[in-house]
């Protein structure tokens, strides 16, 4: 089922996600709905807070990035079909010299900004089987994970840009808050009149 994506300004986007147990009701269904919602909106990642659930859960599929011809063949191959569910993720380490990449977010449509992040991460998480694993990721995959991980910590990519850039996008953010934005996927807006 395709869920509405929660727009900028909703308090759920600022909550730290709760830890999940294997007994969490309808977890498999929630995960399936999140993938369906993400694909419907042409996203590469989606975190539970973005569908109104303050849980430590996010899904990613970096396949759309694999078409980028500016990337080396090896990275294109790595991005193609990289699909993973992250439950109860905990960032262990972010390292390397920060690099800039133009990021967007399904909860903040029509806003894109350059964000600096570390190129290499070590993260601990469970997949749907709830077996804990620790893995190292690099490059664009690491960036997508960092972006989604921020969501389960109540952080948005707009928190990571300069105060000048924040002032420049203030009007766009206010429009999103009030539902004065148009996109090809369903959204739910916090301050939309008559919601």
């Amino acid at each position: 089922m395709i869920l509405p994506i929660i727009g900028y300004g909703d308090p759920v986007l600022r909550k730290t996600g709760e830890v999940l147990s294997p007994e969490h009701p309808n977890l498999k269904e929630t995960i399936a709905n999140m993938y369906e919602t993400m694909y419907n909106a042409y996203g590469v990642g989606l975190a539970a807070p973005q569908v109104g659930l303050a849980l430590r859960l996010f899904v990613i599929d970096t396949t759309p990035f694999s078409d980028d011809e500016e990337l080396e063949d090896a990275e294109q191959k790595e991005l193609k079909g990289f699909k993973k569910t992250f439950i109860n993720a905990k960032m262990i380490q972010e390292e390397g010299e920060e690099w800039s990449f133009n990021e967007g977010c399904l909860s903040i449509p029509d806003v894109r900004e350059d964000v600096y992040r570390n190129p290499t991460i070590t993260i601990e998480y469970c997949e749907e089987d709830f077996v804990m694993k620790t893995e190292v990721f690099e490059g664009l995959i690491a960036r997508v994970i960092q972006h989604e991980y921020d969501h389960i910590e109540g952080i948005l990519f707009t928190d990571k840009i300069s105060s000048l850039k924040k002032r420049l996008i203030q009007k766009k953010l206010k429009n999103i808050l009030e539902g004065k934005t148009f996109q090809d996927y369903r959204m739910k807006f916090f301050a939309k009149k008559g919601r």
Side-chain angles (χ1 to χ4, degrees):
M1 184 171 73
I2 295 166
L3 306 169
I5 291 174
I6 303 299
Y8 175 86
D10 193 300
V12 74
L13 295 175
R14 293 303 188 179
K15 288 183 178 167
T16 303
E18 289 175 29
V19 171
L20 285 152
S21 73
E23 293 76 40
H24 189 84
N26 307 320
L27 183 58
K28 282 200 181 319
E29 188 185 335
T30 298
I31 292 167
N33 290 343
M34 284 176 63
Y35 274 110
E36 196 179 343
T37 302
M38 176 181 78
Y39 292 136
N40 179 65
Y42 302 102
V44 293
L46 188 69
Q50 293 180 276
V51 292
L53 304 169
L55 302 171
R56 296 193 76 75
L57 166 66
F58 60 89
V59 299
I60 70 170
D61 186 342
T62 59
T63 303
F65 282 147
S66 66
D67 296 336
D68 187 341
E69 286 166 11
E70 288 180 28
L71 299 173
E72 291 176 18
D73 288 349
E75 192 166 12
Q76 282 183 331
K77 210 171 276 174
E78 193 181 10
L79 291 162
K80 194 170 189 68
F82 184 88
K83 177 181 172 179
K84 210 174 261 295
T85 302
F86 290 79
I87 298 171
N88 298 336
K90 183 170 183 247
M91 193 68 71
I92 306 297
Q93 196 169 19
E94 296 172 278
E95 53 195 332
E97 192 175 324
E98 289 191 344
W99 62 293
S100 170
F101 187 81
N102 195 257
E103 290 188 21
C105 179
L106 296 176
S107 292
I108 314 175
D110 305 322
V111 175
R112 297 196 65 86
E113 291 294 338
D114 288 343
V115 176
Y116 283 87
R117 296 189 189 271
N118 302 92
T120 306
I121 61 165
T122 305
I123 192 166
E124 191 179 87
Y125 69 100
C126 302
E127 287 183 290
E128 290 178 52
D129 56 8
F130 274 85
V131 173
M132 187 63 80
K133 50 175 72 173
T134 304
E135 283 191 87
V136 175
F137 295 101
E138 294 181 323
L140 271 176
I141 289 173
R143 178 171 290 272
V144 175
I145 293 169
Q146 286 166 307
H147 178 110
E148 299 310 327
Y149 182 82
D150 279 352
H151 274 299
I152 65 170
E153 292 290 333
I155 299 165
L156 301 173
F157 84 95
T158 49
D159 298 341
K160 296 182 175 285
I161 61 176
S162 71
S163 48
L164 169 65
K165 282 195 172 159
K166 277 186 193 146
R167 281 200 301 275
L168 293 172
I169 62 168
Q170 218 40 51
K171 177 89 173 104
K172 279 185 178 179
L173 295 178
K174 185 175 184 290
N175 284 342
I176 295 166
L177 182 70
E178 295 172 357
K180 297 175 186 168
T181 178
F182 300 96
Q183 59 293 314
D184 297 339
Y185 51 91
R186 276 176 64 207
M187 286 193 77
K188 198 169 166 188
F189 302 101
F190 184 64
K192 187 173 183 176
K193 300 215 182 340
R195 65 179 267 205

